[in-house]
Amino acid sequence: MAALNWQKSSYSSESVNCVYLAAAADRSIKLRESDDPDVVITTTPDKLRALLHGIKRGEFDHLTR
């Protein structure tokens, strides 16, 4: 397995709660959090795009109340 080039979110700054993304050779997207870097979530670019659009539109705001 090739090493992944993890990139930290620009919104994470220097805090400990950082989100990292990496593009894998199979075109999947890998996500992990700095608190538990051994847990990696795998998704597709289309599904990640849909999630981000939903977040921007506020579709998940009810989950934070």
Side-chain angles (χ1 to χ4, degrees):
M1 180 176 175
L4 296 172
N5 181 22
W6 291 100
Q7 297 178 352
K8 182 171 66 166
S9 167
S10 61
Y11 290 97
S12 293
S13 66
E14 296 300 320
S15 66
V16 293
N17 297 322
C18 300
V19 174
Y20 292 85
L21 294 171
D26 64 359
R27 300 184 53 129
S28 66
I29 304 295
K30 310 290 185 181
L31 296 98
R32 71 179 185 187
E33 186 189 11
S34 59
D35 289 349
D36 199 353
D38 293 331
V39 175
V40 177
I41 297 171
T42 302
T43 190
T44 65
D46 289 338
K47 289 180 180 179
L48 179 59
R49 187 177 303 106
L51 173 65
L52 294 175
H53 284 294
I55 291 169
K56 289 179 181 180
R57 286 191 302 265
E59 294 179 15
F60 305 103
D61 289 354
H62 68 283
L63 298 173
T64 62
R65 296 181 192 135

